[in-house]
Every structure is written in structure tokens, then in C-alpha cells.
């Protein structure tokens, strides 16, 4: 795909966001440091060789190519989104009786593993063969199928529970994905949908990861405000039990462009929700 970002502009954006959010009540030394960094980056006083990834372009990959590449490192890097999401999801899973469960867009199978460990028979579905291979190796006792969120390879009313983690943000619109998940869950069943919080997607946008040795790439996210989720869930006949919005925990991905300006990045995201977790049910 032709779309691409550059590291220098990303650094400037994070510095500017940190400055904007703390301009009124921030420490003077912190604010001066942000202004100084912005001046240096804007004046290109730091050469490309001093920037993460040598300041090279960040290429966009579609979901197929992106997750094929990302699968090689997905489980090995700290991820603040997963770290704040998992305790919320775990508390919901602990209250769900074992049954037949769907892990939609299962990726490398972290929710598949969590569900299997709680006694569910799990069907993991993902569009990426590479991700499914990782999931199968991680939790071989589960069942796996190739498929996408908008056309799940399951019969109507065939599972008791479904989870879809950090995936619907890749869809340009939510209606079809929500309807498909609702279609396969039996009346009285439960659904958990988690996603990048629209604040994060609106401010930063994309899923950046290291592609190959040190090149950065991203997979497109779309901004879906809470009202859009509610509209899609309502059209699918789902009832919202709860909505959780866990906050940024201070973790930055090691070696990434944000760690390069850690003080600014932590200040930019401090106190913001970075994940949204929907606890849903199919009316009996």
C-alpha cells in the first residue's frame, strides 16, 4: 500500500501532544525540554541515523501481510494494551461457566489459552495462517479455523461465549463484524469485545511493529467512537452489560520510537484510557 509515515513526524507529534496536555500545569523544566526537542526535530538537527529505524519511512501493510510479518515477534514484546486489557477480561471470564467458546480474530491465541484453561472447548478463528500456526503451537488442544470477522466459519447459535480482542478497530465499519459474532452465539450467551480505545486511535492511529530486522510497519486502525459500537451492538440485538476503559500503565514498547522520547510519550498518554472492553450478552 502507498500510505506511509515517518519517524521524525511521529516524534514531533508525541512531543506536541505532551506539551499540549501539560501546558497549563506542567513543570517548567519539562515544558522547556519539550519545546527544545520540538525545535531540534523540526530543524532536523538530529540526522536520520540518530532516529529509531534511521528515520526511514514506516510502510503500511494490509492485515494479511501485516499479521504474517507481526506473527514472528507478536508474543515476544511487552504490550501495554494487552497488559491493561487482560485483567479486565480475566475478571469477566472467571464469571462465565465452561462451554463452547469462540476466540474471534484469535491471533496467537492468548484468549484461546485463557478460555481453555477455564474448561471451555475453544474454536479459534483468524484470517492469518501464520497467526493460527502460533496459536496452535501455544494451545494445541483447541480447534482452529481460517476465517475473518465479517464471515465467521461457524453455524448460527453454535457457541455459548465469544471473545474478540483488539481486532475490530481494523474494520472500516463495525456493523457486519458485530452481527457475525452475535449470529454464532446462542441466546443467553455472553460476548466480550475489546479494542484500542478511540482516543488512542484518533491521536496516534496505527499499530506499529518491527518488520524484519529494524524496519517499522503498521496495520491500519479506524476510529470507532463508543456511539458507533453501541449502534452496531444494538443492530445486532446485543445488550451491553458493562463497558470498561483501563488507563495507560506507563509501559512503552522497548526499542520503539516512543521509548526514544520516553518522558514525552509517558506524559502524552498519562491518564488516558488506551483500551475499551465491552461486556455483552445475547438476550435469551
Amino acid at each position: 500500500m502507498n500510505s506511509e509515515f515517518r519517524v521524525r513526524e511521529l516524534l514531533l507529534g508525541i512531543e506536541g501532544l505532551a506539551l499540549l496536555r501539560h501546558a497549563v500545569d506542567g513543570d517548567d523544566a519539562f515544558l522547556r525540554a519539550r519545546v527544545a526537542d520540538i525545535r531540534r526535530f523540526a530543524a532536523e538537527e538530529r540526522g536520520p541515523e540518530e532516529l529509531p529505524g534511521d528515520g526511514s519511512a514506516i510502510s503500511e501493510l494490509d492485515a494479511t501481510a501485516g499479521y504474517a510479518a507481526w506473527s514472528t515477534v507478536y508474543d515476544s514484546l511487552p504490550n501495554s494494551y494487552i497488559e491493561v486489557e487482560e485483567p479486565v477480561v480475566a475478571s469477566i471470564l472467571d464469571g462465565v461457566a465452561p462451554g463452547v467458546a469462540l476466540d474471534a480474530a484469535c491471533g496467537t491465541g492468548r484468549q484461546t489459552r485463557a478460555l481453555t484453561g477455564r474448561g471451555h472447548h475453544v474454536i479459534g478463528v483468524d484470517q492469518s495462517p501464520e497467526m493460527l500456526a502460533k496459536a496452535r503451537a501455544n494451545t494445541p488442544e483447541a480447534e482452529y479455523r481460517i476465517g475473518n470477522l465479517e464471515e465467521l466459519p461457524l453455524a448460527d447459535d453454535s457457541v455459548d461465549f465469544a471473545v474478540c480482542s483488539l481486532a475490530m478497530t481494523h474494520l472500516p465499519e463495525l456493523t457486519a463484524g458485530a452481527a457475525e459474532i452475535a449470529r454464532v452465539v446462542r441466546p443467553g450467551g455472553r460476548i466480550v469485545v475489546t479494542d484500542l480505545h478511540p482516543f488512542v486511535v484518533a491521536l496516534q492511529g496505527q499499530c506499529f511493529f518491527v518488520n524484519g530486522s529494524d524496519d517499522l510497519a503498521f496495520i491500519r486502525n479506524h476510529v470507532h467512537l463508543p456511539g458507533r459500537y453501541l449502534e452496531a451492538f444494538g443492530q445486532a440485538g446485543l445488550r451491553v452489560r458493562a463497558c470498561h476503559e483501563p488507563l495507560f500503565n506507563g509501559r512503552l514498547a522497548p526499542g520503539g520510537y516512543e521509548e526514544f522520547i520516553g518522558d514525552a510519550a509517558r506524559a502524552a498518554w498519562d491518564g488516558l484510557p488506551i483500551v475499551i472492553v465491552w461486556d455483552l450478552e445475547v438476550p435469551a
Side-chain angles (χ1 to χ4, degrees):
M1 303 179 74
N2 295 326
S3 184
E4 59 184 30
F5 294 154
R6 292 192 178 276
V7 171
R8 190 187 307 276
E9 284 70 24
L10 289 170
L11 296 175
L12 279 166
I14 294 295
E15 292 277 4
L17 179 58
L19 184 61
L20 176 65
R21 295 197 62 216
H22 297 275
V24 173
D25 56 4
D27 174 81
D28 286 346
F30 172 84
L31 298 178
R32 286 195 297 270
R34 304 288 67 77
V35 172
D37 275 353
I38 289 170
R39 284 173 174 161
R40 282 197 297 272
F41 291 133
E44 300 189 357
E45 291 179 6
R46 293 188 178 188
E49 69 281 355
E50 299 180 68
L51 301 177
D54 295 330
S56 58
I58 303 176
S59 298
E60 178 176 358
L61 301 176
D62 63 23
T64 300
Y67 277 105
W70 204 356
S71 67
T72 61
V73 296
Y74 192 87
D75 289 334
S76 64
L77 298 175
N79 187 313
S80 60
Y81 302 107
I82 291 174
E83 288 176 0
V84 303
E85 178 235 48
E86 283 190 337
V88 178
V89 175
S91 69
I92 297 172
L93 297 187
D94 287 342
V96 176
V100 179
L102 164 67
D103 187 359
C106 66
T108 59
R110 63 188 179 87
Q111 304 293 12
T112 299
R113 183 167 55 250
L115 288 162
T116 300
R118 289 170 170 81
H120 295 269
H121 171 74
V122 185
I123 303 168
V125 175
D126 202 277
Q127 57 84 35
S128 169
E130 293 81 4
M131 284 290 201
L132 281 180
K134 294 285 185 180
R136 190 173 288 109
N138 289 332
T139 312
E141 60 268 39
E143 179 183 349
Y144 297 97
R145 302 177 186 178
I146 289 282
N148 63 60
L149 283 175
E150 296 172 301
E151 194 173 356
L152 292 168
L154 287 89
D156 295 356
D157 304 336
S158 58
V159 303
D160 304 294
F161 178 83
V163 60
C164 179
S165 294
L166 307 179
M168 291 187 76
T169 187
H170 297 318
L171 301 178
E173 63 90 29
L174 298 169
T175 305
E180 268 297 273
I181 295 174
R183 176 184 66 80
V184 304
V185 178
R186 297 181 182 115
R190 296 275 294 278
I191 298 170
V192 173
V193 172
T194 81
D195 239 333
L196 300 187
H197 199 282
F199 279 7
V200 172
V201 182
L203 290 170
Q204 175 172 297
Q206 311 312 328
C207 290
F208 297 102
F209 63 95
V210 177
N211 181 23
S213 57
D214 57 3
D215 293 333
L216 290 175
F218 73 91
I219 301 169
R220 174 76 49 186
N221 294 323
H222 300 273
V223 177
H224 300 307
L225 297 177
R228 294 297 187 189
Y229 287 98
L230 291 172
E231 181 180 357
F233 297 150
Q235 290 181 16
L238 301 175
R239 186 175 78 85
V240 177
R241 293 169 56 95
C243 177
H244 307 272
E245 299 172 284
L247 305 181
F248 175 61
N249 65 354
R251 168 87 75 173
L252 301 176
Y257 70 93
E258 286 192 330
E259 193 177 53
F260 188 69
I261 51 169
D263 288 348
R266 291 185 180 90
W269 304 120
D270 180 50
L272 291 183
I274 62 170
V275 169
I276 192 164
V277 179
W278 297 95
D279 183 0
L280 310 160
E281 68 180 4
V282 181

